[in-house]
Amino acid sequence: MTISKRIRAAAVGVILAASTLTACSGGGGSSTNGTIEYWLWDSAQQPGYQKCADAFHQENPDLKIHISQYGWDTYWSKLTAGFIADTAPDVFTDHLSKFAQFVDLKVLRPLDDLGPTQDIQDGDYQEGLAQLWKGQDGKRYGAPKDWDTIAIFYDRTVLKAAGVDPSELQNLNWNPRDGGTFEKLVAHLTIDANGKRGDEPGFDKNHIKMHGLSAEGSGGGGWGQTQWSAFAGSAGWQATDKNPWGTKFNLDKPELQDTLSWYFGLVNKGYMPSYAEIGGTNAVGTDKQIQSGTAAMGLSGSWMISTFTKLTDAKGKKLDIGLAPTPIGPSGKRASMFNGLADSVTTLSKQPENAAKWVKFLSGEQCQNIIGQSGVVFPARPAGTELAINYNKTERKLDVTPFTQQVKDKTTFLFPVTTNAADITALMAPRLDAVYIGSSPVSSLTKLNTQLDKLFEVAQ
């Protein structure tokens, strides 16, 4: 057994031990009675997928879909335990940060080898999505279901009180030297305990009532997706030498380290919450920070639109939420990480062909349109995306262009897909936390980069 596999085996053992109670708490695995077990983690998406399940059953009367929904952390520990204890579902919602390791462990069935899914076409989905779910062997292990990008959420009432016209947010710029017009806005929106703004004389950075910018932890567990990725991307940085399946990391590059020095430096200025204020791994999200008035605006993903548009103040009045694009960086362009989810069939499924029928339906036009009409996420198919855009425009009175324009302008970059994903996260998370806390300099990422590169050497 290689070192990398021993690490993974040990990690799986720990997860199994921690999830024993969870794994025994219902929501069984694959069956042979015509009921297809399907797992997902997003409660907001469950109603839409139940509609898909009902429609699928109408077309396939002998097949039923049983959906189990678990919170993010429980979901992955329960799934890992299920692979060991033979209680994994037939089909589950997969994430790019996990799937490479699942492929390595041979717990996913290649969709090319199953009749219903062998003819899935890359061109039916938003450009670049379908290719992400192909392993190094060229086989497809996930059928695209949706996509996401990053944008700025803000409270219109807070901006009005600060004398800021929302149009000012449409063309912000930033740089690692002085933060550009983006940092000027963040400073102005920051208010100390005495009512002084961050750009006014007498501002007390140590006693803050409202930060101009929210924070969602250090970003070490997800490549800074809703933290610093948009800034690093617009500085011209990418995580690996190629994507997917890179062989070298770029955490030692000045484009990243200068970006992080500036980004985490906002904490020292009082403009962004500290690690102690929001917590680490389970940090208080941007939605809660804006709702509570501890942050005026923040970066978050398109999958959070429904959550933000339901926010209310302490008196129960609905907040007036607006959207703005990520700022233009040193590259002269704005940027956003482009991520997407997919549905995968497990090797433990006792009815793989039936499971593949469900996966084909999930990635097909009918189901994707149902999800688009729910307005919860942007479906992987362009037609479904248009339905989601229209839903937000008519039902929520919200212009979601800050999310969709980046795709049209091709200013997105892909979520890093690599081998050894679990090991990478285990190394990155504490190191980025240390930088956020201030106990380690950004330059410490150069040593981390060397360690991550060695994981590729071990895997070979």
Side-chain angles (χ1 to χ4, degrees):
M1 183 182 290
T2 66
I3 294 175
S4 180
K5 288 183 178 178
R6 285 202 299 271
I7 291 173
R8 287 200 290 270
V12 167
V14 171
I15 293 172
L16 177 59
S19 356
T20 300
L21 293 178
T22 305
C24 296
S25 61
S30 174
S31 65
T32 56
N33 63 1
T35 298
I36 299 169
E37 295 291 338
Y38 177 54
W39 289 9
L40 49 76
W41 66 76
D42 190 343
S43 60
Q45 294 189 49
Q46 186 172 356
Y49 282 109
Q50 185 58 57
K51 290 182 180 179
C52 288
D54 294 341
F56 177 79
H57 177 58
Q58 287 184 344
E59 290 187 9
N60 303 273
D62 57 332
L63 297 176
K64 293 182 180 179
I65 307 299
H66 180 261
I67 299 177
S68 296
Q69 181 269 322
Y70 306 98
W72 174 265
D73 292 329
T74 300
Y75 182 87
W76 294 110
S77 61
K78 187 174 177 68
L79 185 62
T80 303
F83 285 136
I84 298 171
D86 198 8
T87 57
D90 296 286
V91 180
F92 71 98
T93 300
D94 209 345
H95 193 280
L96 285 171
S97 66
K98 311 287 186 180
F99 112 93
Q101 201 123 28
F102 289 150
V103 171
D104 287 347
L105 296 172
K106 300 185 184 306
V107 294
L108 305 182
R109 287 184 182 272
L111 299 183
D112 318 70
D113 297 347
L114 300 170
T117 50
Q118 65 182 359
D119 62 346
I120 290 177
Q121 300 296 314
D122 294 355
D124 289 340
Y125 308 97
Q126 293 285 359
E127 185 178 351
L129 280 183
Q131 293 90 320
L132 288 173
W133 294 95
K134 293 179 181 179
Q136 295 187 79
D137 57 4
K139 293 189 175 183
R140 191 188 308 278
Y141 290 93
K145 66 190 291 114
D146 60 36
W147 62 269
D148 57 70
T149 51
I150 305 301
I152 298 172
F153 287 87
Y154 61 87
D155 185 337
R156 292 181 186 275
T157 302
V158 171
L159 260 64
K160 184 177 181 180
V164 177
D165 189 313
S167 63
E168 296 178 36
L169 277 65
Q170 299 303 311
N171 291 291
L172 296 171
N173 62 73
W174 85 278
N175 64 73
R177 299 182 305 280
D178 60 18
T181 58
F182 178 78
E183 184 172 329
K184 288 182 179 180
L185 174 64
V186 171
H188 184 67
L189 294 177
T190 302
I191 304 174
D192 70 14
N194 298 315
K196 292 284 187 180
R197 293 191 177 274
D199 55 1
E200 293 181 330
F203 170 70
D204 183 359
K205 67 177 184 179
N206 297 313
H207 298 88
I208 304 299
K209 179 181 179 181
M210 176 185 288
H211 297 280
L213 184 68
S214 70
E216 292 195 341
S218 68
W223 293 100
Q225 185 175 13
T226 59
Q227 295 87 7
W228 42 263
S229 69
F231 302 107
S234 66
W237 181 79
Q238 58 182 11
T240 51
D241 57 344
K242 59 180 180 178
N243 196 23
W245 315 116
T247 58
K248 295 286 184 181
F249 287 96
N250 292 323
L251 276 71
D252 57 342
K253 301 298 183 183
E255 294 88 351
L256 176 68
Q257 295 193 8
D258 290 348
T259 295
L260 295 184
S261 292
W262 165 79
Y263 178 77
F264 290 118
L266 296 175
V267 174
N268 298 327
K269 297 175 181 179
Y271 300 161
M272 189 170 78
S274 67
Y275 184 98
E277 288 178 83
I278 64 165
T281 303
N282 296 311
V284 177
T286 292
D287 57 321
K288 297 299 183 184
Q289 292 173 55
I290 290 179
Q291 183 178 35
S292 64
T294 57
M297 65 180 187
L299 282 78
S300 195
S302 54
W303 64 89
M304 290 292 290
I305 292 175
S306 62
T307 298
F308 276 93
T309 54
K310 292 177 183 176
L311 294 178
T312 59
D313 62 17
K315 296 180 180 179
K317 182 181 178 181
K318 192 174 181 180
L319 297 185
D320 188 4
I321 297 295
L323 290 171
T326 58
I328 298 167
S331 67
K333 299 179 180 179
R334 61 180 91 255
S336 170
M337 184 178 285
F338 186 49
N339 190 23
L341 305 181
D343 290 304
S344 296
V345 176
T346 69
T347 53
L348 296 177
S349 175
K350 299 177 179 67
Q351 47 180 339
E353 292 293 323
N354 289 338
K357 281 185 181 181
W358 172 232
V359 169
K360 183 64 176 293
F361 189 84
L362 286 166
S363 62
E365 184 176 359
Q366 185 177 354
C367 180
Q368 297 250 317
N369 287 349
I370 289 173
I371 299 304
Q373 290 165 350
S374 74
V376 178
V377 293
F378 297 124
R381 287 176 175 264
T385 292
E386 288 302 317
L387 290 171
I389 292 172
N390 291 334
Y391 179 93
N392 281 286
K393 182 178 181 179
T394 58
E395 300 297 325
R396 294 173 176 149
K397 312 303 178 187
L398 187 68
D399 180 5
V400 295
T401 300
F403 290 114
T404 59
Q405 192 64 40
Q406 300 238 30
V407 176
K408 293 180 180 178
D409 291 345
K410 300 185 184 302
T411 52
T412 60
F413 57 96
L414 301 175
F415 186 97
V417 178
T418 69
T419 56
N420 305 300
D423 305 336
I424 292 166
T425 299
L427 289 170
M428 279 189 64
R431 295 296 183 86
L432 266 295
D433 281 352
V435 173
Y436 183 14
I437 293 169
S439 61
S440 293
V442 171
S443 59
S444 65
L445 298 182
T446 298
K447 181 178 180 180
L448 171 61
N449 197 75
T450 301
Q451 291 178 303
L452 295 183
D453 282 348
K454 287 182 178 179
L455 290 177
F456 288 137
E457 296 174 9
V458 170
Q460 294 175 354

